[in-house]
Amino acid sequence: MTTAAETPMRFWILLGLLPLALTETVQAASQDWTASSTTAMAITGDISLADDRVVFQNGTSLELQALGHDRPGLYRVTPEQNPELLNGNRLCGKQPPTFIVLAHSADRASLAESQSLHLKVFNGPEAPPAAATVGMDTSAPGFCALFNYERAGAR
């Protein structure tokens, strides 16, 4: 049985834990990645991923729409946009990207388990195949750029 004196104490303890819970939620919603390839260092810089966008080092972002639970890692860029990134560069040059693939290392089962991220950019009308979400293969139609990253803090 809880006494009247214990109830306020429990309230304050729970209130004190609230910032910790909120911090974990924010961290789970955003993943930070460090540019590891020369193209990523020169064009995108470090990036941050959320469920619905990728944010580049210069603060610009692309809004993403997942293509479905049966195709994890595949996203449509929506609305169509072609932001200027580091050094005046763009992901696919003058053509705006249409799809983004967040590919994981071939030796891992998913991006959550991977220390490497291969961000593949496509500018074709058709979505890349699901196989594009593994490794650095760039043979799918519409491919225009590959940027490599390491999980922030992994070095």
Side-chain angles (χ1 to χ4, degrees):
M1 178 130 198
T2 304
T3 66
E6 290 175 326
T7 301
M9 183 179 291
R10 284 187 181 165
F11 171 77
W12 289 111
I13 289 171
L14 290 173
L15 187 61
L17 294 175
L18 184 61
L20 294 174
L22 291 175
T23 300
E24 283 195 26
T25 301
V26 170
Q27 288 173 347
S30 178
Q31 298 177 34
D32 294 329
W33 295 87
T34 303
S36 62
S37 64
T38 54
T39 52
M41 290 177 203
I43 297 174
T44 67
D46 298 344
I47 62 170
S48 182
L49 299 176
D51 290 339
D52 63 346
R53 73 185 63 244
V54 57
V55 180
F56 301 100
Q57 186 169 319
N58 70 350
T60 61
S61 63
L62 281 179
E63 293 181 40
L64 305 175
Q65 177 185 28
L67 293 182
H69 295 296
D70 60 331
R71 302 184 79 181
L74 298 173
Y75 298 87
R76 179 182 310 278
V77 177
T78 182
E80 185 177 290
Q81 51 195 312
N82 195 13
E84 186 173 310
L85 302 173
L86 297 178
N87 305 307
N89 290 303
R90 298 179 190 277
L91 291 175
C92 289
K94 292 181 181 179
Q95 291 190 321
T98 52
F99 296 95
I100 297 287
V101 173
L102 304 178
H104 56 82
S105 303
D107 64 342
R108 300 293 181 207
S110 69
L111 187 57
E113 298 175 11
S114 183
Q115 293 301 310
S116 299
L117 165 67
H118 311 296
L119 189 144
K120 300 177 188 180
V121 185
F122 293 81
N123 61 6
E126 299 295 321
T133 63
V134 178
M136 296 193 326
D137 178 31
T138 58
S139 62
F143 172 80
C144 70
L146 171 67
F147 304 97
N148 296 311
Y149 306 87
E150 289 182 16
R151 194 173 292 280
R155 289 183 182 186

